[in-house]
Amino acid sequence: MAAPEPRVIRLLMELRRQGVSDTRVLAAIERTPRELFVADLFLDQAWENRALPIDCGQTVSQPLVVGLMTQELEVGERMKVLEIGTGSGYQSAVLAQLCRRLYTIERHRGLLKQADERFRQLRIHNITHKIGDGWKGWREQAPFDRIIVTAAAPVIPPDLAEQLKVGGIMVIPVGDVAGLDQELLKVTRLETGLQVRRFLPVRFVPLVQGMPPEG
Ligand code: SAH
């Protein structure tokens, strides 16, 4: 394999410095060409450690946040994972390399179509996606070993907690949906209920209930 480009090495070093230590997560980020997931206007910033705008007023998350969320999710290669908020598909592409199958839900049809084209181009074949309202999860495919939510919710959505296996982990930004006071939570489902740990202050676009007008 060709040696990674300097901008790729620079980003990986920054992620390490800021707490991403899981080598499987770092390798998945290294192998995922972020330039494929950003608009042409931002191509030169594709390997910078920052969130970038995508269509429909949404954003592709900052690589550090993708790294830390994926690390906290403790994904195993035999696991079935649910993602809410496909967006550009970048987080999906990173996760799909680490699990058996990824189910991902997006409410904007245009975004999902573009993401699907990127998955094909990268020959990622273990992603199943649908248009829908992620608040409700994906009942037909439940339960899941892991759930990741990439948009901020005011509370932990009850349907998602219910669709998580006992012993399973969910990573979700929760807090003020205006983006001011949000934290990433690592939620573990125990026999007796949910164990919640906060691990990072963040700023995500809101998890919106219901579907956009165009369908
Ligand atoms: N993981 C994405 C981040 C996208 S931003 C990436 O790597 O690019 C969050 C996404 O969540 C947006 O695309 C938004 O449309 C979507 N979203 C918001 N509320 C939703 C809901 N209720 N159901 C499904 N998707 C939702």
Side-chain angles (χ1 to χ4, degrees), residues 58-59 85-88 91 106-108 111 132-134 150 207-208:
Q58 307 301 316
T59 52
T86 318
S88 68
Q91 169 79 75
E106 170 56 54
R107 63 191 285 279
H108 284 291
L111 289 178
D133 180 1
T150 68
L207 184 69
V208 182

Side-chain angles (χ1 to χ4, degrees), residues 22-74:
D22 186 326
T23 51
R24 290 173 323 138
V25 174
L26 289 164
I29 290 175
E30 179 178 343
R31 281 193 300 260
T32 309
R34 196 162 179 260
E35 58 274 13
L36 214 66
F37 296 84
V38 306
D40 285 351
L41 199 60
F42 297 99
L43 269 183
D44 58 332
Q45 295 177 47
W47 289 90
E48 304 273 312
N49 186 21
R50 59 174 70 139
L52 293 171
I54 56 175
D55 286 353
C56 305
Q58 307 301 316
T59 52
V60 49
S61 307
Q62 185 190 5
L64 176 64
V65 173
V66 171
L68 291 174
M69 287 178 85
T70 310
Q71 178 166 284
E72 291 294 334
L73 206 57
E74 299 176 31

Side-chain angles (χ1 to χ4, degrees), residues 9-198:
I9 296 172
R10 217 166 27 237
L11 177 66
L12 292 170
M13 280 171 62
E14 181 165 349
L15 300 193
R16 269 181 199 274
R17 235 185 353 258
Q18 299 208 47
V20 184
S21 52
D22 186 326
T23 51
R24 290 173 323 138
V25 174
L26 289 164
I29 290 175
E30 179 178 343
R31 281 193 300 260
T32 309
R34 196 162 179 260
E35 58 274 13
L36 214 66
F37 296 84
V38 306
D40 285 351
L41 199 60
F42 297 99
L43 269 183
D44 58 332
Q45 295 177 47
W47 289 90
E48 304 273 312
N49 186 21
R50 59 174 70 139
L52 293 171
I54 56 175
D55 286 353
C56 305
Q58 307 301 316
T59 52
V60 49
S61 307
Q62 185 190 5
L64 176 64
V65 173
V66 171
L68 291 174
M69 287 178 85
T70 310
Q71 178 166 284
E72 291 294 334
L73 206 57
E74 299 176 31
V75 189
E77 59 190 18
R78 304 176 65 136
M79 290 183 180
K80 182 174 175 181
V81 181
L82 174 66
E83 177 190 42
I84 309 300
T86 318
S88 68
Y90 178 70
Q91 169 79 75
S92 328
V94 170
L95 264 176
Q97 298 172 53
L98 303 170
C99 68
R100 180 169 58 79
R101 180 151 289 274
L102 178 72
Y103 294 85
T104 182
I105 308 177
E106 170 56 54
R107 63 191 285 279
H108 284 291
R109 200 171 290 279
L111 289 178
L112 193 60
K113 187 163 174 285
Q114 289 176 28
D116 182 58
E117 282 160 13
R118 292 168 180 142
F119 302 150
R120 282 166 202 271
Q121 202 175 336
L122 294 173
R123 298 196 168 80
I124 299 175
H125 300 301
N126 61 338
I127 298 179
T128 307
H129 52 69
K130 73 165 181 178
I131 288 289
D133 180 1
W135 266 99
K136 302 185 193 127
W138 197 328
R139 195 167 298 280
E140 300 76 17
Q141 296 296 345
F144 297 96
D145 299 293
R146 298 290 186 261
I147 298 179
I148 184 169
V149 183
T150 68
V155 294
I156 298 169
D159 287 337
L160 295 185
E162 200 181 296
Q163 292 173 26
L164 189 60
K165 283 187 190 167
V166 172
I169 297 172
M170 165 161 44
V171 171
I172 176 170
V174 167
D176 168 24
V177 289
L180 299 175
D181 190 19
Q182 299 173 2
E183 275 187 307
L184 275 174
L185 304 186
K186 177 173 188 169
V187 179
T188 308
R189 182 165 177 186
L190 308 174
E191 296 273 6
T192 49
L194 301 179
Q195 180 193 66
V196 178
R197 187 170 70 73
R198 295 151 199 266

